[in-house]
Amino acid sequence: MSFETLGLAPALLRALAEQGYAQPTPIQAAAIPPALEGRDLLAGAQTGTGKTAAFSLPLLERLYVGNRKPTQPKTPRALVLTPTRELAAQIHENVRAYGKHLGARATTVFGGVGINPQIDALRRGTDILIATPGRLIDHIQQRSVNLSHIEVLVLDEADRMLDMGFLPSIKRILGHLPKQNRITWLFSATFAPQIKALAAEFMKEPVEIQIAKPNSVASTVTHRVHPVDADKKRDLLLHLLENDARQTLVFGRTKHGADKLAKMLGNAGLRAAAIHGNKSQAQRTRALADFKNGKINVLVATDIAARGLDIDQLPMVINHDLPMVAEDYVHRIGRTGRAGAEGLAISLVSHEEEGLLRDIRRLLKQDIEIAPVDGFAPSRPLRTDDGANARPTQKPRQGQGRPGPRAPRHGHANNAAAPSGKTSRKRRRGGGGQRSSRPA
Ligand code: AMP
């Protein structure tokens, strides 16, 4: 499945290639074709599934492709309602990125900031209005917005808007929209009876789409944390990869960091490549193909780049850095242990990441083995006592480390005693043989 086969215009395809999107996510594949046909949609999908593009792309296509000139050039033709200012800003950013070759005009209105600049922006004219319900009501009251030419209404995170008490505002806003020739796309993680009632009242025979919760963690995955000082992470990563020749997806937090890791691994003789949003489509496609056919064993990715990557059945994922959002851990690990296969999820965790680790353990509701690696034990043990019912086992892993001073049981290692990774790498290079666990 490709974006081309979904029937999107070349200007959108170009923008998507520039974003580095290789293929549509499941919600995009399911929602875009009926949306382009002008059907109403009732879509069950949560954040992280690519739902913003699932509605933004058909929206842009409907507004700008085919030379449909608006009769009222200053009046918005599409309205996106979303619960928070952060989401509104994010949608705006996405619409701008996807619509950059179409001359798309979007304006955002949300509360907590002055209303006058928003009034000025609305006066100058916009095609797409992205709004939180409360502030949009303010604009309706001040008559600074005209909603009588809205052709497409998107209700984003409808369940959250209802949880936040926006139902009366939404109903009021709906009263200002045209009833005829309007298309409505409702996105929601859950479908409480109130949402179904809203859909029944305001939508016409919607196409119902339900996307499964993305990448739930398989029970066949072993989760392991190697506590380590931040400045030793790279050496530990190299050490682990040199001793395990399996195909491994490594996650870094930033594009720059992913590049540096791939380079460092390459310099050490491993076959590695990086994949992230700054790489061209051709580079991404090649790295992925090389990884799949075994030409390279290590692919270093950022969270965003890894989304929508069609890699399945991976034996091992290593988090060089923990993700900032616990849910992303689930996305990352969802690529291993599928279909009953064994999977290993290793995270290199420094003290700075204790809070993130706590969040992940809470989300997983699962014990995670905490295992310092000989020679890489951190200067002090990780604090994991969070009442999340997990019992860490902070004992050094035997057999994983090189010969050298054993890490003390509770991490009172002093750095002088533990060999620094740098020294040990030099030693290995000198000895020559230890890299040979991977084919050259
Ligand atoms: P959302 O669920 O809309 O919040 O999107 C989650 C993230 O996935 C955003 O950072 C998007 O930029 C990214 N994304 C959306 N669609 C794709 C795609 N087809 N391929 C890769 N990344 C995508």
Side-chain angles (χ1 to χ4, degrees):
M1 174 70 77
S2 70
F3 283 111
E4 282 85 350
T5 55
L6 293 182
L8 294 170
L12 285 170
L13 296 176
R14 208 163 106 219
L16 292 172
E18 285 161 8
Q19 287 296 301
Y21 294 1
Q23 62 195 58
T25 65
I27 183 72
Q28 291 160 8
I32 292 173
L36 289 176
E37 280 174 23
R39 299 285 309 268
D40 279 6
L41 300 181
L42 196 55
Q46 32 227 16
T47 301
T49 54
K51 69 179 169 57
T52 313
F55 63 75
S56 304
L57 295 170
L59 180 65
L60 290 162
E61 176 99 19
R62 285 195 71 83
L63 292 191
Y64 296 105
V65 180
N67 269 335
R68 293 192 311 115
K69 285 260 183 296
T71 46
Q72 306 277 331
K74 292 205 167 184
T75 317
R77 293 190 285 153
L79 172 63
V80 181
L81 285 180
T82 192
T84 66
R85 62 187 282 180
E86 286 76 21
L87 278 166
Q90 215 170 296
I91 294 167
H92 193 182
E93 206 175 285
N94 286 8
V95 164
R96 198 181 291 144
Y98 308 145
K100 71 192 247 206
H101 302 301
L102 290 167
R105 290 189 312 162
T107 293
T108 310
V109 303
F110 46 70
V113 295
I115 198 166
N116 288 334
Q118 298 175 354
I119 294 176
D120 291 343
L122 288 167
R123 204 172 284 143
R124 285 194 297 275
T126 190
D127 300 315
I128 302 165
L129 179 59
I130 302 152
T132 54
R135 179 51 67 95
L136 185 57
I137 292 283
D138 295 342
H139 282 284
I140 290 173
Q141 277 166 350
Q142 300 208 18
R143 297 183 196 284
S144 43
V145 69
N146 173 0
L147 299 178
S148 64
H149 290 85
I150 296 292
E151 301 163 28
V152 184
L153 167 69
V154 180
L155 296 165
D156 179 42
E157 308 224 346
D159 49 350
R160 245 172 108 191
M161 289 201 281
L162 263 51
D163 286 347
M164 290 167 75
F166 282 139
L167 187 58
S169 302
I170 292 172
K171 287 196 164 171
R172 219 171 129 192
I173 292 164
L174 282 162
H176 289 263
L177 303 183
K179 307 245 172 323
Q180 302 295 320
N181 301 326
R182 189 192 78 215
I183 304 168
T184 306
W185 300 332
L186 185 152
F187 287 76
S188 189
T190 56
F191 285 101
Q194 272 182 316
I195 299 207
K196 291 232 153 134
L198 192 70
E201 192 176 343
F202 294 102
M203 297 172 77
K204 297 178 301 277
E205 295 167 15
V207 175
E208 293 191 25
I209 298 166
Q210 184 61 52
I211 297 302
K213 223 175 160 204
N215 298 341
S216 52
V217 173
S219 56
T220 48
V221 175
T222 303
H223 303 263
R224 184 174 298 153
V225 161
H226 292 321
V228 61
D229 287 335
D231 61 350
K232 297 279 163 44
K233 278 191 174 187
R234 284 177 182 215
D235 294 308
L236 177 53
L237 176 69
L238 180 61
H239 168 73
L240 294 171
L241 290 172
E242 282 179 325
N243 286 288
D244 195 326
R246 288 179 289 178
Q247 293 294 99
T248 305
L249 184 61
V250 173
F251 281 94
R253 197 174 290 155
T254 64
K255 297 171 193 171
H256 183 59
D259 263 340
K260 275 183 28 188
L261 283 180
K263 206 163 167 197
M264 179 276 288
L265 296 170
N267 288 342
L270 300 184
R271 291 172 300 133
I275 194 159
H276 55 66
N278 283 1
K279 297 270 181 190
S280 71
Q281 187 55 49
Q283 287 171 315
R284 294 166 54 101
T285 308
R286 205 179 76 211
L288 184 61
D290 286 351
F291 187 61
K292 281 187 173 179
N293 66 27
K295 261 195 193 159
I296 57 170
N297 311 66
V298 186
L299 190 62
V300 188
T302 56
D303 285 295
I304 298 212
R307 284 209 180 140
L309 279 190
D310 170 31
I311 333 177
D312 237 341
Q313 303 287 13
L314 261 180
M316 183 152 77
V317 168
I318 299 185
N319 296 312
H320 179 270
D321 308 296
L322 286 183
M324 297 305 283
V325 186
E327 281 80 7
D328 280 342
Y329 181 87
V330 177
H331 291 298
R332 292 177 176 189
I333 302 315
R335 297 164 189 286
T336 182
R338 286 197 187 163
E342 297 277 308
L344 180 59
I346 290 180
S347 301
L348 312 188
V349 180
S350 65
H351 297 298
E352 295 79 1
E353 297 170 306
E354 282 169 348
L356 298 174
L357 178 61
R358 224 168 282 150
D359 291 346
I360 289 167
R361 289 175 53 213
R362 273 197 201 119
L363 185 75
L364 288 183
K365 297 192 186 72
Q366 191 175 332
D367 203 353
I368 301 185
E369 181 190 6
I370 304 218
V373 177
D374 277 0
F376 292 95
S379 42
R380 57 187 166 89
L382 279 187
R383 281 177 40 131
T384 51
D385 48 325
D386 62 326
N389 241 354
R391 291 179 313 282
T393 43
Q394 290 215 15
K395 52 177 192 274
R397 284 193 73 68
Q398 307 216 0
Q400 271 217 347
R402 287 157 278 119
R406 276 272 297 278
R409 199 175 186 86
H410 274 287
H412 299 294
N414 73 46
N415 283 334
S420 90
K422 234 177 201 151
T423 333
S424 60
R425 196 156 73 218
K426 271 195 197 127
R427 201 172 58 214
R428 273 204 302 281
R429 280 218 182 98
Q434 290 202 29
R435 251 183 282 140
S436 59
S437 62
R438 282 166 192 280

